Amino acid sequence: MKFTWMKWSALPVAVLMAGSVAMAQDQSSSGGQQPAATPAPAATPAPAPAEKPKPTIAQRKENQQDRIANGVQSGQLTAGETANLEKKEAAINKETAADRAANDGKLTGAEKKQINGQQNQVSKQIYADKHNAKTQHYGNNKVDQRRENQQDRIAQGIKSGQLTPGETAKLENQQKGINKQVAADRKANGGTLTASEKKQVNKEQNGASKNIYHKKHNAKTQPQAQPKQ
């Protein structure tokens, strides 16, 4: 009876020892180390953003004309300010055409730099004129509505390229003269216009209207910049 108890009590000890030996063999066969984790692939660096190409001379010119047209239509630019800006644009265009004619239709690096410098100055002038205290006010009367209509037609002609800077300068000078006359007449009459003054202003605007139409439909146009292929 005593021998039987000792035999069964020794059995768990033997099982435990066998398990320990098997574990030791597993550790020795694997070198006692856990499998190394697979390294994560290196992150691919994001590509640098492409540098925005500089606008061409033609694109720069078109951009300036669009800014002037917006100022005319919004009333931020008066007729006098517009005429002055368009005279400067006309001078730059004339210089550009002369440079191209002398170089088989091309511009040298120095000429491009010179033109861009001049356009920078005009750009600053456009901004200053559009943000100063002078604005083109239109009242709720036939004279001012007619004046606003003329400015809208001029602005549309600038945007479409139907009006060159030189043509625009002449049209705006004409509007400037009419506006000056209206202001003087109103000042002399307590802020109003007499019937004869209204008739005179309307007649002058009829002449200006014909000029706008002819200049928008003649052979002279402002070349629009084409995107690079």
Side-chain angles (χ1 to χ4, degrees), residues 4-80:
T4 303
W5 177 85
M6 290 179 63
K7 181 177 65 172
W8 290 109
S9 63
L11 182 60
V13 175
V15 172
L16 180 61
M17 290 178 65
S20 299
V21 171
M23 186 182 295
Q25 288 175 345
D26 288 342
Q27 288 179 347
S28 63
S29 63
S30 63
Q33 296 179 351
Q34 296 297 325
T38 304
T44 305
E51 186 177 351
K52 189 176 181 180
K54 293 182 179 180
T56 64
I57 295 297
Q59 288 169 339
R60 186 81 189 276
K61 179 171 62 174
E62 184 178 353
N63 179 57
Q64 302 283 60
Q65 289 300 105
D66 285 343
R67 292 174 63 202
I68 292 172
N70 290 337
V72 172
Q73 202 153 29
S74 67
Q76 290 175 287
L77 292 176
T78 66

Side-chain angles (χ1 to χ4, degrees), residues 29-124:
S29 63
S30 63
Q33 296 179 351
Q34 296 297 325
T38 304
T44 305
E51 186 177 351
K52 189 176 181 180
K54 293 182 179 180
T56 64
I57 295 297
Q59 288 169 339
R60 186 81 189 276
K61 179 171 62 174
E62 184 178 353
N63 179 57
Q64 302 283 60
Q65 289 300 105
D66 285 343
R67 292 174 63 202
I68 292 172
N70 290 337
V72 172
Q73 202 153 29
S74 67
Q76 290 175 287
L77 292 176
T78 66
E81 288 171 336
T82 305
N84 181 53
L85 290 170
E86 291 289 24
K87 282 180 182 177
K88 291 180 179 180
E89 281 294 310
I92 294 174
N93 291 348
K94 188 176 181 180
E95 178 184 337
T96 303
D99 289 340
R100 289 188 189 277
N103 294 297
D104 296 325
K106 297 180 181 179
L107 295 172
T108 66
E111 289 167 344
K112 289 178 182 179
K113 185 177 180 180
Q114 173 70 16
I115 291 167
N116 271 316
Q118 292 170 339
Q119 287 287 26
N120 287 342
Q121 293 302 314
V122 175
S123 181
K124 291 177 183 178

Side-chain angles (χ1 to χ4, degrees), residues 188-207:
N189 296 298
T192 61
L193 294 173
T194 65
S196 62
E197 289 169 344
K198 290 178 183 178
K199 185 178 180 179
Q200 176 64 26
V201 171
N202 198 50
K203 182 179 179 181
E204 291 174 0
Q205 287 288 24
N206 286 342

Side-chain angles (χ1 to χ4, degrees), residues 9 134 162 183:
S9 63
K134 296 179 182 179
Q162 290 174 286

